[in-house]
Amino acid sequence: MENWLNAEGKNDDIVISSRVRLARNIKDIPFPDKLSAEKGKEIVEMINDSILDLPEYKDKFKTTKLWESDSLNNKTYFEKHLISYKLLSNCKKAAFISDKDETISIMLNEEDHIRIQCITSSLNLEEAYDTADNLDNLIESKVDYAYDERLGYLTACPTNVGTGMRASVMMHLPALSISNEITDILKAVSQVGMTIRGLYGEGSKVSGNLYQISNQISLGITEKEIMNNLNAVINQIINQENISRQKLMQNYSYEIEDRMHRALGILKSARLLDLSEGLDLISQVRLGVELGIIKNVDKKLLNSLLVNTQPAMLQKIFNTKLNEKDKNYYRARIVRETLDQKN
Amino acid sequence: MENWLNAEGKNDDIVISSRVRLARNIKDIPFPDKLSAEKGKEIVEMINDSILDLPEYKDKFKTTKLWESDSLNNKTYFEKHLISYKLLSNCKKAAFISDKDETISIMLNEEDHIRIQCITSSLNLEEAYDTADNLDNLIESKVDYAYDERLGYLTACPTNVGTGMRASVMMHLPALSISNEITDILKAVSQVGMTIRGLYGEGSKVSGNLYQISNQISLGITEKEIMNNLNAVINQIINQENISRQKLMQNYSYEIEDRMHRALGILKSARLLDLSEGLDLISQVRLGVELGIIKNVDKKLLNSLLVNTQPAMLQKIFNTKLNEKDKNYYRARIVRETLDQKN
């Protein structure tokens, strides 16, 4: 798998990344929310020990126990999409196992005991699923999963029962947003059983025209069907975004050019930048690059900014505690420094 | 006198230019608005011939008869502040005599037969007046002015009777505008008998935080008193603008830095720019230069943009007829090209 932040793929217009996660629990052990911090840690150690035994673990994976790590570092894992907000809030009893590329994260004591998450660049759910499925089999050879013959995998939240799988795709939909077509499309998407979320998953606001689209149903359907359904929807949205981009360029080419160049001009010169404006401007520059209006800006740099402009990452990068105004100042600075890099 | 567009003076913060104009009429000839085009041209030729005779005219001055010049060129003279809107609308019977530096313009058949206008950079009404006064004496040696012992010079509009003099100063007041203090100041200024106008004089809208402040009263007062009164008011406003700039920098230094740099970023990258936004952004960049926030932008270039972004100048520079949208496109282009110049 390729880390989406470093994506060189040609297919990375519109779809930024594909993610599959499998929710699993250990038989006869209460779900994480029912576990004390002490008991939770025991479970983490137990699962971790089992996985450590695997020859595949050595040299490839690393375990991070959130209760041993400082809170700023933990937030950066969240901002890098390595862990979920739920894992962060369970930090007293949670851990995650990640690979060097940071495409794989096995979260321990999230809402479920085990959540295997695989993220790859572009639209490639199959690759993400195959990786997750392999890991799932390896882990299953070491621990007893809570599994019901009729229902499938048992999970803390009923929406995950069955395959325990959520497949999701991060899409960048600026043209549909500019043209206001996005509202109708999102309505249609949710009517066919898909869920729409922002850059940081459940409960996160949509910003930077980034939409995470995922399956809502996990029960009575196979993993392959989940992926096929989602792929079909995603391909339709890609198609509509492309049509919308063409229309914009046909009818408003000057205005679009103006908007994209201004966005880059502001990013390169602002001294204060809040997160939401920053993500919006990055979105416009990305569209400009994809439409061929803006040259000499590497999309990898734009990807890195999606993460590096987040509050904890800023404090990590500049190695200092920042208040709100400071954050806007340092955010503007990292943006300028990043865009001034020779590509 | 120094052309304000090329001003190198150190004193050109806040006050951009000083202007004096004297309104004169020829004895026993109806005011221009009462003259047919034919009769008007005769008067122009008559005055011009008298002035041509002066040894001072030769090699130094040039006469432009608006009815012989094309309408686009005439508009550029207006945009360069060489002639007034009134002269432009009298183009069938009007002319002007200008020097090479374009600091002097003797308008013929404006509202009055003769309007001697001298513009110099920075706050220097005395120099502008001395130049105008000299020209006035030279012309008076050749033609008979309409003059009343009791009232002074007779003019078409009663507000000009007396000295026939209007002294005006173009000020750049961005800090007072940002801080919203400008409204009260303008109110006070008009209460002490001064008039406030925009970049293009009577009837023109204020844009780019540029204000022309001039005397309202011309009768029962000497030229020296007019200048003294105006100087006193201008110096007070300069003082208040400076205090306001200091306050802004003390209380909002990051926000001001951000605003100035963004303004430059947008000017350097926009592909469409309307006149009013352009003037506002130029104003912010000028303030940034004057506050030391922006380096490497020559204020001469900013001055040139005040004129070169005007509609007729754009068509003249790019040698093409432009519709509204074209103008915004070419305006953005001249701004980018100008700011990309090595200083």
Side-chain angles (χ1 to χ4, degrees), chain A residues 55-320:
Chain A
E56 289 81 0
Y57 183 92
K58 230 189 142 203
D59 299 331
K60 223 189 135 189
F61 290 96
K62 181 181 81 170
T63 303
T64 307
K65 295 165 188 168
L66 296 196
W67 67 84
E68 290 177 351
S69 166
D70 75 40
S71 117
L72 179 65
N73 276 336
N74 289 347
K75 282 181 195 146
T76 66
Y77 302 139
F78 167 69
E79 290 176 355
K80 288 159 89 178
H81 297 266
L82 271 174
I83 65 173
S84 64
Y85 189 75
K86 176 67 182 167
L87 199 82
L88 198 57
S89 54
N90 276 1
C91 65
K92 292 219 164 74
K93 53 185 171 187
F96 70 100
I97 298 168
S98 56
D99 68 333
K100 278 187 190 145
D101 289 344
E102 305 195 328
T103 56
I104 294 170
S105 170
I106 304 166
M107 289 180 267
L108 305 180
N109 280 342
E110 211 252 21
E111 193 179 272
D112 299 296
H113 295 134
I114 300 175
R115 286 203 161 191
I116 304 165
Q117 167 186 277
C118 298
I119 304 184
T120 187
S121 63
S122 308
L123 182 56
N124 200 345
L125 289 169
E126 293 71 15
E127 190 187 28
Y129 174 71
D130 288 345
T131 309
D133 189 38
N134 281 335
L135 286 166
D136 185 36
N137 292 336
L138 283 171
I139 297 168
E140 199 165 15
S141 70
K142 293 289 184 177
V143 299
D144 270 347
Y145 281 160
Y147 184 81
D148 178 276
E149 280 302 328
R150 201 170 49 93
L151 291 171
Y153 294 101
L154 301 178
T155 56
C157 176
T159 58
N160 290 315
V161 168
T163 58
M165 168 167 160
R166 186 178 283 270
S168 69
V169 170
M170 177 87 74
M171 307 193 81
H172 178 233
L173 304 174
L176 290 172
S177 305
I178 290 172
S179 66
N180 279 325
E181 295 166 273
I182 193 76
T183 323
D184 285 345
I185 286 174
L186 295 182
K187 209 182 285 171
V189 165
S190 63
Q191 278 165 358
V192 297
M194 303 290 159
T195 300
I196 300 121
R197 292 168 175 174
L199 181 56
Y200 284 98
E202 198 161 351
S204 77
K205 235 180 64 185
V206 169
S207 48
N209 301 316
L210 294 167
Y211 298 85
Q212 262 194 56
I213 297 173
S214 62
N215 64 304
Q216 204 155 34
I217 296 154
S218 173
L219 182 68
I221 185 169
T222 67
E223 288 84 353
K224 200 159 171 52
E225 284 168 327
I226 291 173
M227 285 190 284
N228 286 348
N229 290 348
L230 187 57
N231 272 328
V233 168
I234 298 301
N235 280 315
Q236 273 193 3
I237 303 176
I238 292 175
N239 195 30
Q240 289 182 291
E241 170 70 15
N242 275 326
I243 291 171
S244 190
R245 290 182 183 195
Q246 282 164 21
K247 270 198 271 174
L248 281 180
M249 283 307 281
Q250 274 161 18
N251 301 329
Y252 306 103
S253 66
Y254 285 104
E255 288 81 356
I256 291 294
E257 261 195 62
D258 181 53
R259 192 162 167 163
M260 311 291 112
H261 281 292
R262 280 178 184 236
L264 183 58
I266 294 172
L267 286 177
K268 281 184 166 180
S269 53
R271 260 52 179 179
L272 293 174
L273 198 60
D274 74 27
L275 183 56
S276 159
E277 188 193 7
L279 292 174
D280 269 349
L281 293 169
I282 291 167
S283 163
Q284 289 174 37
V285 172
R286 180 186 293 272
L287 177 60
V289 172
E290 290 174 359
L291 291 174
I293 292 169
I294 291 176
K295 326 274 184 203
N296 302 325
V297 172
D298 189 331
K299 281 205 286 179
K300 263 195 282 186
L301 298 181
L302 299 178
N303 287 345
S304 78
L305 286 178
L306 292 183
V307 170
N308 290 343
T309 56
Q310 299 291 333
M313 285 302 291
L314 283 177
Q315 302 187 64
K316 183 86 183 159
I317 292 167
F318 291 105
N319 193 25
T320 175

Side-chain angles (χ1 to χ4, degrees), chain B residues 2-45:
Chain B
E2 185 180 44
N3 188 314
W4 64 278
L5 284 172
N6 307 318
E8 291 274 21
K10 286 163 201 159
N11 193 20
D12 57 356
D13 284 13
I14 302 179
V15 173
I16 297 198
S17 63
S18 301
R19 170 178 167 272
V20 164
R21 74 105 175 96
L22 303 174
R24 301 291 184 253
N25 286 282
I26 314 289
K27 203 172 162 180
D28 299 332
I29 294 178
F31 292 130
D33 279 352
K34 301 287 179 190
L35 297 175
S36 66
E38 200 186 354
K39 188 71 189 159
K41 285 180 194 172
E42 270 175 39
I43 304 300
V44 164
E45 299 289 3

Side-chain angles (χ1 to χ4, degrees), chain B residues 268 295-299 301 338-343:
Chain B
K268 280 185 166 179
K295 325 276 184 201
N296 303 325
V297 171
D298 190 331
K299 281 205 288 180
L301 298 180
T338 302
L339 293 176
D340 279 346
Q341 277 175 39
K342 292 275 164 285
N343 298 310

Side-chain angles (χ1 to χ4, degrees), chain B residues 171-264:
Chain B
M171 306 192 82
H172 178 234
L173 305 174
L176 290 171
S177 305
I178 290 172
S179 65
N180 279 325
E181 296 166 274
I182 193 76
T183 323
D184 285 345
I185 285 174
L186 296 182
K187 209 182 287 171
V189 165
S190 63
Q191 279 164 356
V192 296
M194 303 290 159
T195 300
I196 299 122
R197 291 168 175 172
L199 181 56
Y200 284 98
E202 200 162 348
S204 77
K205 235 181 61 185
V206 169
S207 48
N209 301 318
L210 293 167
Y211 298 84
Q212 261 193 57
I213 297 174
S214 62
N215 65 302
Q216 205 154 34
I217 296 154
S218 173
L219 182 69
I221 186 171
T222 67
E223 288 84 353
K224 198 156 175 54
E225 284 169 328
I226 291 174
M227 285 190 284
N228 286 348
N229 291 347
L230 186 56
N231 272 327
V233 168
I234 298 303
N235 279 314
Q236 273 193 4
I237 302 177
I238 291 175
N239 195 29
Q240 288 182 292
E241 170 71 16
N242 275 325
I243 291 170
S244 190
R245 290 183 182 193
Q246 282 165 20
K247 271 197 271 175
L248 281 180
M249 284 306 283
Q250 273 161 18
N251 302 328
Y252 306 103
S253 66
Y254 285 103
E255 289 80 357
I256 291 295
E257 261 195 64
D258 180 54
R259 192 161 168 163
M260 311 291 112
H261 280 292
R262 282 177 182 236
L264 183 59

